[in-house]
Amino acid sequence: LGRAMATADLLVPGARPAVAGPAEAAQLIATYNTMLDRLQAERAAGAGRALQAQERERHRIARELHDEVGQTLTAVLLQLKRVADRVPGELREEVSLAQEATRSGLDEIRRIARRLRPGVLEELGLPSALRSLAAEFTHHGLSVEHHVPGDLPPLAPEAELVLYRVAQESLTNTARHAAADHAALSLRPLADGVELLVRDNGTGLGTAAEGAGIRGMRERALLIGAEIHFEPAPGGGTDVRLRVPAPPGERSADRTGDSP
């Protein structure tokens, strides 16, 4: 019981000490397990409220970037085009550089807005959103291949968002910290849900403590009752594996269909 208390982590559900020993000790262990279950449920509920607020704020910022900053930069581009037609020849190169810088800034604003609010997820669904994400990260020396079938089992919108955000955070970590040149993103149906796997050929997990990105992924997985594992990949690198259960109605329907 002492070892369990010293190593308990509310973001890693399921680890419980066995109820055994004399009656008083067994009762104490059972009470501790019940307390841990309650704390994890409260943590999941709190994380859910925080993540929902975070998503609302992301949507607001993305909308303002697109509607306000994006439109302002578009107007600047149009103004620069009118100026370019009238300036003396010796200034045209400088105006052209200003146009290019403004255009690059507009593209960056749009890219940030897409990451903050994955419109493709809402409009075209999870498979298309994951394929688009893999294409977006294929740059600057990193190649990302994807294996995402179109015939996935029905998932709740919250589960689809968690799958997308975990894939996004995993590829972000790969691009920033893993020193990898190749990553693979795959999503496959299981008998009782789906499994997301993001694998890279980088430097691996190492011995450093988990950062905010990994703990954020754990919180998102806990929110929808999913399992997430961070493991060494075969041949080096890192595997991020997320198993998301199907909605209860879908699981029961599958079992009914499989029975004789």
Side-chain angles (χ1 to χ4, degrees):
L1 180 59
R3 285 194 300 271
M5 288 180 172
T7 59
D9 187 345
L10 295 181
L11 293 180
V12 184
R16 300 288 185 272
V19 178
E24 293 86 350
Q27 183 179 2
L28 180 61
I29 295 172
T31 302
Y32 169 75
N33 288 345
T34 301
M35 179 194 70
L36 205 57
D37 290 339
R38 176 175 56 81
L39 289 175
Q40 285 190 330
E42 292 175 356
R43 174 65 181 266
R49 289 191 294 271
L51 290 172
Q52 288 171 1
Q54 183 187 80
E55 288 298 329
R56 287 195 297 270
E57 186 67 5
R58 284 178 180 232
H59 281 207
R60 183 188 67 80
I61 294 172
R63 186 171 58 251
E64 291 187 0
L65 284 173
H66 182 273
D67 295 345
E68 303 296 333
V69 182
Q71 289 184 8
T72 299
L73 288 178
T74 300
V76 171
L77 269 178
L78 293 174
Q79 185 66 28
L80 284 172
K81 185 179 184 304
R82 287 194 292 269
V83 170
D85 296 334
R86 298 197 300 267
V87 297
E90 63 271 14
L91 295 178
R92 284 182 182 170
E93 184 177 354
E94 294 183 23
V95 174
S96 178
L97 290 174
Q99 285 179 295
E100 194 60 38
T102 304
R103 192 174 292 110
S104 297
L106 182 59
D107 290 342
E108 184 68 11
I109 288 293
R110 289 170 175 166
R111 184 187 65 80
I112 293 172
R114 284 197 302 271
R115 287 197 179 183
L116 287 171
R117 183 173 183 243
V120 66
L121 177 61
E122 300 172 358
E123 297 164 6
L124 300 179
L126 182 63
S128 295
L130 291 177
R131 296 184 194 112
S132 176
L133 189 66
E136 181 182 340
F137 276 88
T138 301
H139 62 83
H140 301 311
L142 179 65
S143 169
V144 182
E145 63 175 303
H146 59 79
H147 305 281
V148 183
D151 53 341
L152 295 172
L155 295 168
E158 295 81 5
E160 291 192 348
L161 183 59
V162 168
L163 282 160
Y164 181 86
R165 291 299 188 199
V166 167
Q168 185 182 49
E169 183 64 31
S170 300
L171 290 176
T172 298
N173 288 345
T174 296
R176 290 181 179 174
H177 309 299
D181 60 10
H182 182 267
L185 184 156
S186 63
L187 186 67
R188 65 187 182 99
L190 303 175
D192 56 351
V194 298
E195 179 184 79
L196 171 75
L197 174 63
V198 181
R199 171 176 291 171
D200 67 59
N201 65 348
T203 54
L205 293 168
T207 57
E210 290 186 355
I214 290 181
R215 296 190 69 80
M217 286 190 274
R218 289 194 186 278
E219 287 193 344
R220 288 185 181 276
L222 190 63
L223 175 63
I224 59 170
E227 295 181 11
I228 190 166
H229 302 279
F230 304 90
E231 307 162 337
T238 303
D239 278 359
V240 178
R241 194 180 299 271
L242 177 69
R243 291 192 177 99
V244 177
E250 294 296 328
R251 291 199 294 270
S252 61
D254 289 344
R255 284 196 298 268
T256 302
D258 291 341
S259 60

